[in-house]
Amino acid sequence: MRRTALLVSAALLTSLLPVAVARAAADDPPPVPVDRFEGEVPFASPPAGGIFTWGGDTDDPPALQLSTRSDAPEGDKVLAGTYDISGYGGFTHDFAFAEPAHDWSARKGIRFWWEGQNNGKKVAFELKDGGADGEASELWTTSFTDDFTGWKQIELPFTDFTYRTDYQPVGGIDHVLGLTETWGYAVTLPVGAPGRFAMDGVELYGRADQSLRASVTTDSVVHPVREGGTAKIKIAVATTGSAPLADPVTVAYETAGGTATPGKDYTPVSGTLTFPAGTASGAGRTIQVPTVRDKGAEAAETIPVKLTVTGAKPPAETPQVVIDAHGLPYLNSKLPVQKRVADLLSRMSLAEKAGQMTQAERGAVGGGADVTAYDLGSLLSGGGSTPTPNTPEAWAKMIDSFQLRSRATRFQIPLIYGVDAVHGHNNLVGATVMPHNIGLGATRNPQLVQRTGAVTAAEVRATGVPWDFAPCLCVTRDERWGRSYESFGEDPALVESMETIIQGLQGARNGKDLDRDDKVLATAKHFVGDGGTAYGSSTTGTYTIDQGVTTVTRQQLEAVHLAPYKEAVKRGIGTVMPSYSSLDVIGDGLGPVKMHARADMIDGVLKQKLGFDGFVISDWNGIDQIPGDYASDVRTSVNAGVDMVMAPYAYKDFRTALVAEVQAGRVSERRIDDAVSRILTQKFRLGLFEKPYADTAGASAIGSAGHRAVAREAAAASQVLLKNAGDVLPLRTSQKVYVAGSNADDIGNQSGGWTVTWQGASGNITPGTTILQAMRKNSAALTYSKDASAPLSGYDVGVVVVGETPYAEGVGDVGNGHDLALSAADQAAVDKVCAAMKCAVLIVSGRPQLIGDRLGDIDALVASWLPGTEGDGVADVLYGRRPFTGRLPVTWPRSQAQLPINVGDRAYDPQFPYGWGLTTLTEVPKGGESTLKALGAAASRAERAGADGTGRALVAEARLIVQQRAAGRMTAAVAGPFADADHLLLTGRYGEAVAKLTQAYRAA
C-alpha cells in the first residue's frame, strides 16, 4: 500500500534562506517555502523527515536525485527523477513524526515549478490532512496535466483538492480539509511508459478567504422519518481553527425534487438562515420538514433540501429527507421469512437486484453516497481496513453511517457488513485475539473451540458487524502453504470436529439466533480444496502454492476436502466462499478450473447435492482470475452459483456488467432471483430490517477479562509438548530461569498474520500479554536476553522462544521469501542456551519448523503455534497451572524433502506423527501390552454402546503408554499406526484406534 506524508518545517526553511516573492497579488502575503531541494531535507522514510519513494511492485518506485541545474527556477538544485511504472508509483516528502503538523489554513494553495515533457498525462498531487501523524491522516488529491514543455509554475488552490475515496490508510477522520494539521504532500507519476521529470520551489501562496476557512455542515446527509413525522436537519457553521466568523454566512434552503410529491407527501418549506459575523464556530440552526400521513402502503420516498450558501464552503452533498417505506408485507416481522423475501423480490428492479449482489470495500465508497446510488447490498473491511481511531465506538459509528445511506434507497434494504475475524475480531485494536485455527485444532476440544467462536461473535457484533468471513475449513496438506495456520489440521475428521465454532458464531443450526446481539453470520471457506494445492502450481505473482491447483481423484475430493463442507451445511452455515485455487479432478476431462467458475461444484454439489441454502460470496476480486474478459468473468461466476461478488474497488463495473449480461440473456433472471433471495433471507434472519444499526450493548465486554480468559484457556490447550526429557517441564516457580529468543516478548509475532492488519506485524501492535511477561508473573528469578548474549551461568533451566514472524496467504508461501528453518539468530539462541543448561524450546509459528539434528540437544520441545494475545495461557502449562494436553494437528516433518507428508501416507516417517502430544496430566498406566489389550476390549465395548466419552478416555490411556515407550526413538513403523489411531479416534472407531496403538507399541 502506498503511504504519503508530511512536510518540512516552513519556519525552519524560512530561517535558512531568503525567498523571492513571485507573482504575488498586491495584497497577498509573501509565499512560504516548503521545499527548495537544495539538500536541506534528506532522502529518508517515516517516521524520520525526508523524501521517500513507493510503488505497486519492486520496479515501480521512481529513481530520484537532487540535480544541479543552471536553469533551476529557484536555487541551484532541483529534484529530478526517472520512472517506468506498471502499477502505481511516486514519491512523498515526509515531515518527521516527532515534530508538530503544520498550519496551512491561512494560505490559498500550494505551488511549485514543474519541467513539462508535453506527454499529455495527468500528474496527481496529494495532501495529508489531520490525524496523529503522516500514517494516520486523510488523503486529499488534485491533479494537473503535463501538456507543456519546459519549466512552468503550477498553482493548486486548496479549494481544488477532493477527498480520496479509492484509498484511505486510516478510513477517514472528519472528511474536512482543515489544513490546520497538514502532514505532507506526495506526487503520483504517470503509468504505462518510461518518463522523467524535474520539480523545484514548492511553496505556499496567497491568502485564504473565508469561503475556504469557513464551511457549512449538516448533521447528516440522510434524514429518515416515519410517514407523518417531521424531519429535523441541523445546519452548522465551522471555521478552520474554530475562530468566530469574520463575515456573515447565509444559507438559503428549499425542498425541491426527489420522489416524494409536494403537498401530498410533505409540506414544502423554504427560507434563509443567517449566521452573522462573530458567530462562534459550531453554531447551528435547524430546518424542519413536515411529512403527511396518507395511510397508504408505499416504498421510501426522498425529499432533497437544496442549500445555497454565501460566504462559506457549502456541504459536499445535498441533504435529503427520506419518508420510510411502510405498510408493505416484507416489512412485517410477523410474516415467515420466505414470504417476506418473495414480496420484496417481486418489487425490485433488475438494477436493485444487481446491487444486492455487489459487495464493495468500505474504503472505496468514501462517505457512502454510492451505497445509495448503486443500491449496494454489502460492504466489507479488508484486512487492516479500519476506522480512525480503531475503537469499538468508531467501528459502530462508521458502519451506522453506511447503513444510514441504505435508508435512502427505495426499499431501504439494509447493508450486510463483513470482516475477516479469523481469530477473534482481529482487525480491532484491543479485541481478544484467539489462537489461530492450527492451535485450536491442537486443543482437540470442540467445546472450547465453540466458546472461542462465541467470544469472537460477541465482539464482532458489538461493533456493528453482523457477518464474519470465518471459519476456514481448509484441510492443509502441505506446510509450505502460507495459509497453513488458517486450517484446523491435515485430517478432515479433525476439521469436522472443530466445526462447533460455527455454533459459537451463529448459534442454533436453524438460524434462529442470528438476530441476537452476540451472534454473526459465519462463512465456510474456501470451497473447495484450497489446502491441497500442489507446490509450484500457483500462477499468482510470486506465490508458490497458495491459489494454485489441487489435483485429486473424485474419491479423494469427497473424502478429504469436501467432507468439512458437508458438516458445515448440516450445522446451518450461512455463507460459503469459493477458493482462489483451481480444481483438477482426475478423469473429468476439464483440467484445472478456477473454483469461482466451477458450476459443477458450487451449484451442483454445494447447493443441489448438499442442500446448502445460504448464499455464496466470492473472494476478494476472485472472479477476476477466471480466464476471459470482465463480462465473461461476471457471467461465468454468477452462472456457476456465486450469489454475491466481492468487487472491492470495481463494484460499479461489476453491477453494470451484471445488468448487461442479464439484458443480453447470458445470465437468466431466474439465476438472479435465486441469488438475491438467498441474500435477503440471511438479512431477514439477522434481523437487519428491524435493527439495521449497531447494538453496542456488548461493547464493554470487548477485550474483557472474561473473554481473555477463554483465549487464555485456548492458548494453554493448544500447546503441544513434543519432547520432555528428564521432566524439564513443568517449570517450578523457585527455579532460576534464563529466557531468550525472538518470539519471547513480541505480541505481534505470537499473534501472527491477520492481526490488526492483513499481514500482521512484529511488535506491540495490540494489547495483550507476551510469553515473557506471563513467565515473569510465575518466576521468582528470571533473566531475559533476546539473543542470549547475557552471561549463561548460574541458571537452573533455559527457555528459548523462537519461530516465525507474521505473514498471511501466499505472501507466506515457502519459496516466496520464507522457509521452514529457524532463522540464524534463533538457531544461535537455541545453540547457546541448550549448550549451557537444561533447556526448553518453544516454537511460535503457524506451521512446523525443521529442528533437524538440534533435537538431541533440546531437553523439552513445545509447539506453541500462534497463541494470540494471551501469553498467560502458555505460561500456565509451562509452570504446571494447567497440564499439557495438546496434540499435533499436522505431521511434524524431519526435512522439507518429505513434504507433503500427512496421516495415512504409505511412506510416513516424520519427526513427530500426527496426533503426538505428551501430557503432564496423569501418570502413565502400567502393564504395557497387557494393559493395551484390556483397553482395546473396553474401547470396543464403549464403541458398540455409543459411549463416546468412555471410548475417547480409553484411547487416551493407550496413547500415553505408547508415547512413553516411543519417546526418543520414533520410526516409520511407530509413526504410521500412531497417526492412524488418532484419525480412528476422531471417527469414533475406538477399538480399532487402540489396536493401531498396540501395533505402534510393538514396533517401538
mmCIF file of all heavy atoms in Angstrom, residues 606-633:
data_model
loop_
_atom_site.group_PDB
_atom_site.id
_atom_site.type_symbol
_atom_site.label_atom_id
_atom_site.label_comp_id
_atom_site.label_asym_id
_atom_site.label_seq_id
_atom_site.Cartn_x
_atom_site.Cartn_y
_atom_site.Cartn_z
ATOM 1 N N LEU A 606 -22.480 -28.220 -3.928
ATOM 2 C CA LEU A 606 -22.763 -27.474 -2.703
ATOM 3 C C LEU A 606 -24.267 -27.194 -2.541
ATOM 4 O O LEU A 606 -24.855 -27.500 -1.495
ATOM 5 C CB LEU A 606 -21.984 -26.160 -2.709
ATOM 6 C CG LEU A 606 -22.217 -25.242 -1.510
ATOM 7 C CD1 LEU A 606 -21.732 -25.898 -0.224
ATOM 8 C CD2 LEU A 606 -21.511 -23.900 -1.727
ATOM 9 N N LYS A 607 -24.882 -26.632 -3.571
ATOM 10 C CA LYS A 607 -26.280 -26.228 -3.433
ATOM 11 C C LYS A 607 -27.253 -27.372 -3.678
ATOM 12 O O LYS A 607 -28.198 -27.583 -2.899
ATOM 13 C CB LYS A 607 -26.577 -25.069 -4.384
ATOM 14 C CG LYS A 607 -25.872 -23.767 -4.011
ATOM 15 C CD LYS A 607 -26.251 -22.632 -4.953
ATOM 16 C CE LYS A 607 -25.642 -21.313 -4.518
ATOM 17 N NZ LYS A 607 -25.988 -20.181 -5.410
ATOM 18 N N GLN A 608 -27.031 -28.125 -4.759
ATOM 19 C CA GLN A 608 -28.003 -29.158 -5.109
ATOM 20 C C GLN A 608 -27.805 -30.432 -4.285
ATOM 21 O O GLN A 608 -28.733 -30.909 -3.644
ATOM 22 C CB GLN A 608 -27.905 -29.474 -6.615
ATOM 23 C CG GLN A 608 -28.117 -28.280 -7.518
ATOM 24 C CD GLN A 608 -29.465 -27.610 -7.323
ATOM 25 O OE1 GLN A 608 -30.470 -28.281 -7.103
ATOM 26 N NE2 GLN A 608 -29.504 -26.287 -7.386
ATOM 27 N N LYS A 609 -26.600 -30.972 -4.281
ATOM 28 C CA LYS A 609 -26.372 -32.249 -3.606
ATOM 29 C C LYS A 609 -26.357 -32.109 -2.094
ATOM 30 O O LYS A 609 -26.996 -32.900 -1.372
ATOM 31 C CB LYS A 609 -25.053 -32.858 -4.098
ATOM 32 C CG LYS A 609 -24.758 -34.231 -3.504
ATOM 33 C CD LYS A 609 -23.467 -34.808 -4.070
ATOM 34 C CE LYS A 609 -23.172 -36.170 -3.451
ATOM 35 N NZ LYS A 609 -21.898 -36.740 -3.994
ATOM 36 N N LEU A 610 -25.621 -31.105 -1.574
ATOM 37 C CA LEU A 610 -25.522 -30.945 -0.125
ATOM 38 C C LEU A 610 -26.685 -30.155 0.461
ATOM 39 O O LEU A 610 -26.891 -30.160 1.681
ATOM 40 C CB LEU A 610 -24.199 -30.272 0.249
ATOM 41 C CG LEU A 610 -22.913 -30.995 -0.163
ATOM 42 C CD1 LEU A 610 -21.689 -30.269 0.385
ATOM 43 C CD2 LEU A 610 -22.935 -32.439 0.303
ATOM 44 N N GLY A 611 -27.411 -29.439 -0.369
ATOM 45 C CA GLY A 611 -28.584 -28.715 0.106
ATOM 46 C C GLY A 611 -28.278 -27.416 0.809
ATOM 47 O O GLY A 611 -29.066 -26.951 1.645
ATOM 48 N N PHE A 612 -27.168 -26.781 0.464
ATOM 49 C CA PHE A 612 -26.811 -25.502 1.082
ATOM 50 C C PHE A 612 -27.839 -24.440 0.697
ATOM 51 O O PHE A 612 -28.082 -24.199 -0.487
ATOM 52 C CB PHE A 612 -25.410 -25.089 0.624
ATOM 53 C CG PHE A 612 -25.010 -23.690 1.027
ATOM 54 C CD1 PHE A 612 -24.901 -23.346 2.362
ATOM 55 C CD2 PHE A 612 -24.736 -22.729 0.056
ATOM 56 C CE1 PHE A 612 -24.525 -22.053 2.731
ATOM 57 C CE2 PHE A 612 -24.352 -21.452 0.411
ATOM 58 C CZ PHE A 612 -24.257 -21.113 1.752
ATOM 59 N N ASP A 613 -28.432 -23.783 1.705
ATOM 60 C CA ASP A 613 -29.469 -22.797 1.411
ATOM 61 C C ASP A 613 -29.062 -21.369 1.746
ATOM 62 O O ASP A 613 -29.891 -20.458 1.681
ATOM 63 C CB ASP A 613 -30.767 -23.149 2.137
ATOM 64 C CG ASP A 613 -30.631 -23.080 3.659
ATOM 65 O OD1 ASP A 613 -29.511 -22.800 4.155
ATOM 66 O OD2 ASP A 613 -31.638 -23.306 4.361
ATOM 67 N N GLY A 614 -27.797 -21.147 2.100
ATOM 68 C CA GLY A 614 -27.291 -19.797 2.311
ATOM 69 C C GLY A 614 -26.858 -19.185 0.993
ATOM 70 O O GLY A 614 -27.306 -19.604 -0.079
ATOM 71 N N PHE A 615 -25.981 -18.184 1.045
ATOM 72 C CA PHE A 615 -25.513 -17.609 -0.212
ATOM 73 C C PHE A 615 -23.998 -17.725 -0.335
ATOM 74 O O PHE A 615 -23.284 -17.836 0.658
ATOM 75 C CB PHE A 615 -25.995 -16.174 -0.409
ATOM 76 C CG PHE A 615 -25.402 -15.119 0.508
ATOM 77 C CD1 PHE A 615 -24.224 -14.472 0.187
ATOM 78 C CD2 PHE A 615 -26.069 -14.735 1.658
ATOM 79 C CE1 PHE A 615 -23.701 -13.476 1.003
ATOM 80 C CE2 PHE A 615 -25.570 -13.742 2.477
ATOM 81 C CZ PHE A 615 -24.372 -13.112 2.160
ATOM 82 N N VAL A 616 -23.542 -17.714 -1.573
ATOM 83 C CA VAL A 616 -22.121 -17.862 -1.900
ATOM 84 C C VAL A 616 -21.543 -16.482 -2.177
ATOM 85 O O VAL A 616 -22.049 -15.742 -3.025
ATOM 86 C CB VAL A 616 -21.927 -18.786 -3.122
ATOM 87 C CG1 VAL A 616 -20.450 -18.838 -3.521
ATOM 88 C CG2 VAL A 616 -22.435 -20.189 -2.803
ATOM 89 N N ILE A 617 -20.481 -16.135 -1.457
ATOM 90 C CA ILE A 617 -19.795 -14.853 -1.624
ATOM 91 C C ILE A 617 -18.423 -15.110 -2.228
ATOM 92 O O ILE A 617 -17.682 -15.966 -1.742
ATOM 93 C CB ILE A 617 -19.665 -14.105 -0.268
ATOM 94 C CG1 ILE A 617 -18.750 -12.876 -0.366
ATOM 95 C CG2 ILE A 617 -19.171 -15.045 0.836
ATOM 96 C CD1 ILE A 617 -19.319 -11.737 -1.148
ATOM 97 N N SER A 618 -18.076 -14.389 -3.266
ATOM 98 C CA SER A 618 -16.765 -14.588 -3.881
ATOM 99 C C SER A 618 -15.664 -14.090 -2.957
ATOM 100 O O SER A 618 -15.915 -13.337 -2.009
ATOM 101 C CB SER A 618 -16.676 -13.850 -5.218
ATOM 102 O OG SER A 618 -16.314 -12.488 -5.031
ATOM 103 N N ASP A 619 -14.435 -14.490 -3.222
ATOM 104 C CA ASP A 619 -13.294 -13.934 -2.511
ATOM 105 C C ASP A 619 -12.931 -12.592 -3.158
ATOM 106 O O ASP A 619 -13.476 -12.204 -4.191
ATOM 107 C CB ASP A 619 -12.103 -14.899 -2.549
ATOM 108 C CG ASP A 619 -11.210 -14.765 -1.328
ATOM 109 O OD1 ASP A 619 -11.158 -13.659 -0.747
ATOM 110 O OD2 ASP A 619 -10.554 -15.749 -0.950
ATOM 111 N N TRP A 620 -12.002 -11.884 -2.542
ATOM 112 C CA TRP A 620 -11.575 -10.542 -2.965
ATOM 113 C C TRP A 620 -11.112 -10.563 -4.418
ATOM 114 O O TRP A 620 -10.097 -11.187 -4.748
ATOM 115 C CB TRP A 620 -10.456 -10.090 -2.034
ATOM 116 C CG TRP A 620 -9.866 -8.739 -2.281
ATOM 117 C CD1 TRP A 620 -9.031 -8.381 -3.285
ATOM 118 C CD2 TRP A 620 -10.028 -7.567 -1.454
ATOM 119 N NE1 TRP A 620 -8.664 -7.058 -3.152
ATOM 120 C CE2 TRP A 620 -9.265 -6.541 -2.036
ATOM 121 C CE3 TRP A 620 -10.736 -7.288 -0.290
ATOM 122 C CZ2 TRP A 620 -9.185 -5.256 -1.488
ATOM 123 C CZ3 TRP A 620 -10.664 -6.018 0.261
ATOM 124 C CH2 TRP A 620 -9.892 -5.013 -0.333
ATOM 125 N N ASN A 621 -11.884 -9.942 -5.302
ATOM 126 C CA ASN A 621 -11.581 -9.938 -6.740
ATOM 127 C C ASN A 621 -11.400 -11.348 -7.286
ATOM 128 O O ASN A 621 -10.697 -11.547 -8.286
ATOM 129 C CB ASN A 621 -10.328 -9.103 -7.047
ATOM 130 C CG ASN A 621 -10.581 -7.612 -6.942
ATOM 131 O OD1 ASN A 621 -11.696 -7.149 -7.152
ATOM 132 N ND2 ASN A 621 -9.546 -6.852 -6.613
ATOM 133 N N GLY A 622 -12.049 -12.308 -6.655
ATOM 134 C CA GLY A 622 -11.839 -13.705 -7.041
ATOM 135 C C GLY A 622 -12.286 -14.017 -8.446
ATOM 136 O O GLY A 622 -11.677 -14.855 -9.126
ATOM 137 N N ILE A 623 -13.330 -13.349 -8.938
ATOM 138 C CA ILE A 623 -13.802 -13.666 -10.284
ATOM 139 C C ILE A 623 -12.823 -13.167 -11.337
ATOM 140 O O ILE A 623 -12.851 -13.637 -12.480
ATOM 141 C CB ILE A 623 -15.210 -13.105 -10.542
ATOM 142 C CG1 ILE A 623 -15.193 -11.578 -10.664
ATOM 143 C CG2 ILE A 623 -16.188 -13.542 -9.461
ATOM 144 C CD1 ILE A 623 -16.514 -11.002 -11.199
ATOM 145 N N ASP A 624 -11.957 -12.221 -10.967
ATOM 146 C CA ASP A 624 -11.018 -11.660 -11.938
ATOM 147 C C ASP A 624 -10.000 -12.693 -12.418
ATOM 148 O O ASP A 624 -9.357 -12.490 -13.455
ATOM 149 C CB ASP A 624 -10.270 -10.468 -11.343
ATOM 150 C CG ASP A 624 -11.185 -9.284 -11.062
ATOM 151 O OD1 ASP A 624 -12.411 -9.460 -11.147
ATOM 152 O OD2 ASP A 624 -10.683 -8.200 -10.746
ATOM 153 N N GLN A 625 -9.841 -13.779 -11.667
ATOM 154 C CA GLN A 625 -8.854 -14.794 -12.051
ATOM 155 C C GLN A 625 -9.411 -15.819 -13.036
ATOM 156 O O GLN A 625 -8.682 -16.681 -13.505
ATOM 157 C CB GLN A 625 -8.317 -15.501 -10.807
ATOM 158 C CG GLN A 625 -7.541 -14.583 -9.880
ATOM 159 C CD GLN A 625 -6.786 -15.345 -8.797
ATOM 160 O OE1 GLN A 625 -6.642 -16.571 -8.866
ATOM 161 N NE2 GLN A 625 -6.276 -14.640 -7.807
ATOM 162 N N ILE A 626 -10.698 -15.703 -13.337
ATOM 163 C CA ILE A 626 -11.279 -16.584 -14.349
ATOM 164 C C ILE A 626 -10.802 -16.121 -15.729
ATOM 165 O O ILE A 626 -10.833 -14.931 -16.021
ATOM 166 C CB ILE A 626 -12.819 -16.532 -14.288
ATOM 167 C CG1 ILE A 626 -13.315 -16.974 -12.904
ATOM 168 C CG2 ILE A 626 -13.435 -17.401 -15.376
ATOM 169 C CD1 ILE A 626 -14.807 -16.776 -12.712
ATOM 170 N N PRO A 627 -10.347 -17.013 -16.592
ATOM 171 C CA PRO A 627 -9.897 -16.583 -17.926
ATOM 172 C C PRO A 627 -11.013 -15.895 -18.700
ATOM 173 O O PRO A 627 -12.190 -16.240 -18.578
ATOM 174 C CB PRO A 627 -9.507 -17.908 -18.595
ATOM 175 C CG PRO A 627 -9.194 -18.837 -17.470
ATOM 176 C CD PRO A 627 -10.139 -18.455 -16.366
ATOM 177 N N GLY A 628 -10.644 -14.892 -19.483
ATOM 178 C CA GLY A 628 -11.611 -14.166 -20.291
ATOM 179 C C GLY A 628 -11.713 -12.716 -19.877
ATOM 180 O O GLY A 628 -11.046 -12.273 -18.941
ATOM 181 N N ASP A 629 -12.569 -11.957 -20.585
ATOM 182 C CA ASP A 629 -12.745 -10.553 -20.244
ATOM 183 C C ASP A 629 -13.664 -10.421 -19.034
ATOM 184 O O ASP A 629 -14.187 -11.412 -18.505
ATOM 185 C CB ASP A 629 -13.263 -9.764 -21.448
ATOM 186 C CG ASP A 629 -14.622 -10.263 -21.961
ATOM 187 O OD1 ASP A 629 -15.345 -10.948 -21.205
ATOM 188 O OD2 ASP A 629 -14.964 -9.961 -23.113
ATOM 189 N N TYR A 630 -13.891 -9.177 -18.603
ATOM 190 C CA TYR A 630 -14.622 -8.979 -17.355
ATOM 191 C C TYR A 630 -16.079 -9.437 -17.473
ATOM 192 O O TYR A 630 -16.626 -10.052 -16.552
ATOM 193 C CB TYR A 630 -14.568 -7.514 -16.913
ATOM 194 C CG TYR A 630 -15.015 -7.329 -15.480
ATOM 195 C CD1 TYR A 630 -14.271 -7.852 -14.421
ATOM 196 C CD2 TYR A 630 -16.192 -6.654 -15.174
ATOM 197 C CE1 TYR A 630 -14.674 -7.700 -13.110
ATOM 198 C CE2 TYR A 630 -16.612 -6.496 -13.855
ATOM 199 C CZ TYR A 630 -15.844 -7.019 -12.827
ATOM 200 O OH TYR A 630 -16.246 -6.882 -11.517
ATOM 201 N N ALA A 631 -16.708 -9.158 -18.597
ATOM 202 C CA ALA A 631 -18.086 -9.606 -18.789
ATOM 203 C C ALA A 631 -18.181 -11.121 -18.684
ATOM 204 O O ALA A 631 -19.123 -11.671 -18.092
ATOM 205 C CB ALA A 631 -18.617 -9.118 -20.145
ATOM 206 N N SER A 632 -17.189 -11.797 -19.245
ATOM 207 C CA SER A 632 -17.141 -13.254 -19.160
ATOM 208 C C SER A 632 -16.945 -13.712 -17.719
ATOM 209 O O SER A 632 -17.573 -14.680 -17.267
ATOM 210 C CB SER A 632 -16.011 -13.786 -20.041
ATOM 211 O OG SER A 632 -15.822 -15.168 -19.845
ATOM 212 N N ASP A 633 -16.067 -13.018 -16.994
ATOM 213 C CA ASP A 633 -15.855 -13.357 -15.580
ATOM 214 C C ASP A 633 -17.156 -13.255 -14.795
ATOM 215 O O ASP A 633 -17.461 -14.114 -13.954
ATOM 216 C CB ASP A 633 -14.824 -12.414 -14.951
ATOM 217 C CG ASP A 633 -13.438 -12.547 -15.563
ATOM 218 O OD1 ASP A 633 -13.193 -13.553 -16.255
ATOM 219 O OD2 ASP A 633 -12.610 -11.642 -15.330
#
